[in-house]
């Protein structure tokens, strides 16, 4: 059961990544959409607001705080690994 769930999850991720790439290609090439990254100050403002909302909600709801704290701890671990593995490979392997 676990193997089937894992395989389904992985297949779904791969399928969505492929479809997102196709959709981006269509937006840019067919629809002539100019795609840009959000500016750093916008990302910083979104991060700040997100932290504020989750901190406020967590102060009122222990389950939200527990879930958020668990997510942040897991993300910190993953981010450290990702910097030297996935991100490093993707940046260095682009043509």
């Amino acid at each position: 059961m676990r193997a089937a769930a894992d395989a389904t999850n992985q297949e779904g991720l791969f399928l969505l990544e492929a479809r997102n790439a196709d959709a981006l290609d269509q937006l840019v090439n067919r629809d002539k959409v100019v795609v840009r990254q959000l500016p750093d100050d916008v990302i910083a403002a979104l991060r700040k607001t997100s932290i504020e909302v989750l901190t406020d909600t967590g102060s009122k709801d222990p389950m939200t705080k527990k879930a958020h704290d668990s997510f942040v701890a897991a993300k910190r671990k993953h981010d450290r690994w990702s910097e030297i593995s996935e991100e490093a490979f993707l940046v260095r392997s682009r043509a």
Side-chain angles (χ1 to χ4, degrees):
M1 182 70 93
R2 174 69 185 223
D6 288 346
T8 300
N9 183 55
Q10 200 65 29
E11 184 177 340
L13 176 61
F14 292 149
L15 181 61
L16 289 174
E17 286 291 312
R19 287 187 176 163
N20 283 339
D22 290 341
L24 177 60
D25 186 60
Q26 188 176 70
L27 285 169
V28 171
N29 295 311
R30 186 193 73 192
D31 302 330
K32 306 302 181 206
V33 171
V34 176
V35 178
R36 295 179 285 169
Q37 291 184 341
L38 291 172
D40 290 343
D41 62 324
V42 172
I43 296 293
L46 289 169
R47 182 181 298 118
K48 180 179 181 284
T49 302
S50 176
I51 290 168
E52 289 171 355
V53 168
L54 289 167
T55 299
D56 180 57
T57 304
S59 71
K60 298 173 187 167
D61 178 29
M63 185 58 78
T64 298
K65 179 172 177 15
K66 182 178 179 181
H68 178 256
D69 290 349
S70 176
F71 170 78
V72 168
K75 186 174 182 325
R76 280 190 185 124
K77 276 184 172 179
H78 177 266
D79 287 350
R80 285 193 309 264
W81 166 247
S82 181
E83 283 179 22
I84 63 168
S85 62
E86 297 164 7
E87 289 177 43
F89 173 77
L90 289 173
V91 168
R92 292 178 180 159
S93 65
R94 289 191 178 115

